[in-house]
Amino acid sequence: MALAAAALLAAPFLPAPGATAAETTTAADTTTAAAAPRAATAPLQEVTGFGSNPGQLKMFRYVPDGLARGRPVVVVLHGCTQNAAGYGTGSGWTELADRWGFSLVLPQQRTANNISSCFNWFQLGDTARGRGEAASVAQMVDRQLADVAGKSTRVYVTGLSAGGGMTAVMMAAYPEKFAAGGVVAGLPYGCAQAAGSPWVCMSAGGGQSPRQWGDRVRAARPGYTGPWPRLTVFHGTADAKVRPVNMTGLTDQWTDVHGADQAPDVSDTVAGHPRRLFHGPGGDPVVETYGITGMAHGQPVDPGTGDGQCGTAGANLLDVGLCAAYRMGLGWGLAG
């Protein structure tokens, strides 16, 4: 694809058509003094030779000093215009890796693949099992598990915006590799194809029924009979770039995949923001959603040194008094 076309199709961090200045304001515009995150105890490392790398991505990883064998691995996918190091730190994931004891895989897009450094969540050549960027990320997971003796049954994946779209791709195309995934301001698997274009998907959703959404996931891994990853979603109610309808699509998609009904089993609030929890047929939680009241497009963070705090406010890293990385890690049992 030509670079100009890539910029048009894959820039969720650019203002959406018709967005107002208020809708595109970030915490960086309103926050003057945020508490600094805890300093990382180990450097981010670039890894080469992790496989055939058909998507031509870069691999970085973060391994806390003295990490024991058999610890979990979290894959962290940045958004458009971001990079691995900035998003890993800003979102709070490196801080939590030190605090709780797990390692990170941080894929990084190349501008040669996408001029806005977005992961190509909308391209069939990058979202199918065994192909393109999805296959590159899967190879990174295998390399990390081998190098750090990570626990293969406790691998998780999360990402923001285009990284959230690629998170849904990894959950659908490689469900056997992930225990759970966290999509932040992202999109359902197959949304660009369902809607006819990435922009329509971002602004209006894919227009699918829960069964149709679920069928798209099942088609990504034909014949798969193992457990599907659990899903956690965070989405701002004032997001004008990737509209909140996409959280509904993700919820419909993964409740259907898990055989759960469309009515939440738990409805409450966390830090003043509505949370819904859906249980599968066996009674286990399979989908959890957070609608972040009044938040525009970005990653929820809660800078500070308190137990539930993490992250750093900045562009598309929005201080809403709730750290998405912390809530995901808590739900996935990483704090244990």
Side-chain angles (χ1 to χ4, degrees):
M1 173 182 289
L3 292 182
L8 173 67
L9 292 175
F13 283 159
L14 297 178
T20 66
E23 287 174 323
T24 56
T25 297
T26 70
D29 300 314
T30 58
T31 302
T32 57
R38 296 175 178 84
T41 61
L44 210 64
Q45 303 172 332
E46 182 169 6
V47 180
T48 60
F50 54 84
S52 59
N53 191 16
Q56 294 300 299
L57 301 177
K58 288 186 175 183
M59 176 183 176
F60 293 88
R61 70 175 167 210
Y62 183 76
V63 182
D65 290 340
L67 185 70
R69 296 170 60 89
R71 298 300 298 156
V73 173
V74 179
V75 179
V76 177
L77 295 153
H78 65 77
C80 300
T81 75
Q82 295 179 321
N83 60 34
Y87 179 61
T89 300
S91 63
W93 277 112
T94 55
E95 181 181 340
L96 293 174
D98 281 332
R99 192 189 309 180
W100 290 340
F102 55 86
S103 69
L104 303 176
V105 173
L106 301 109
Q108 182 167 296
Q109 182 60 285
R110 299 173 186 263
T111 55
N113 294 341
N114 185 290
I115 195 170
S116 298
S117 297
C118 309
F119 291 105
N120 288 315
W121 58 271
F122 54 89
Q123 296 273 39
L124 287 174
D126 285 306
T127 61
R129 184 179 177 86
R131 298 176 63 185
E133 294 174 13
S136 291
V137 175
Q139 290 173 357
M140 294 180 198
V141 171
D142 292 341
R143 173 68 187 268
Q144 183 79 345
L145 288 171
D147 286 356
V148 305
K151 191 172 183 64
S152 62
T153 57
R154 298 205 62 199
V155 180
Y156 307 87
V157 58
T158 182
L160 167 64
S161 193
M166 189 56 72
T167 294
V169 168
M170 298 310 300
M171 293 172 64
Y174 293 93
E176 75 282 1
K177 289 188 180 294
F178 302 103
V183 176
V184 183
L187 315 105
Y189 176 74
C191 188
Q193 290 71 41
S197 83
W199 279 117
V200 174
C201 167
M202 290 160 55
S203 63
Q208 304 284 281
S209 69
R211 176 52 59 88
Q212 288 172 320
W213 277 129
D215 285 345
R216 289 183 177 274
V217 170
R218 287 180 284 269
R221 185 67 166 91
Y224 180 67
T225 59
W228 292 96
R230 172 181 171 178
L231 172 69
T232 306
V233 186
F234 294 81
H235 213 117
T237 62
D239 192 335
K241 299 176 185 180
V242 179
R243 299 281 183 175
V245 66
N246 286 289
M247 182 166 76
T248 301
L250 279 161
T251 304
D252 288 348
Q253 184 168 69
W254 289 91
T255 50
D256 183 78
V257 167
H258 282 282
D261 60 38
Q262 306 303 304
D265 296 279
V266 176
S267 295
D268 57 14
T269 60
V270 175
H273 303 290
R275 181 187 76 124
R276 298 192 302 164
L277 190 63
F278 301 79
H279 293 164
D284 295 327
V286 294
V287 174
E288 184 177 24
T289 69
Y290 293 79
I292 308 301
T293 306
M295 190 181 78
H297 189 68
Q299 174 97 10
V301 297
D302 184 14
T305 58
D307 180 61
Q309 294 182 292
C310 64
T312 306
N316 301 112
L317 298 164
L318 310 182
D319 183 357
V320 296
L322 182 150
C323 186
Y326 177 86
R327 295 301 307 183
M328 279 185 261
L330 195 66
W332 298 342
L334 297 180

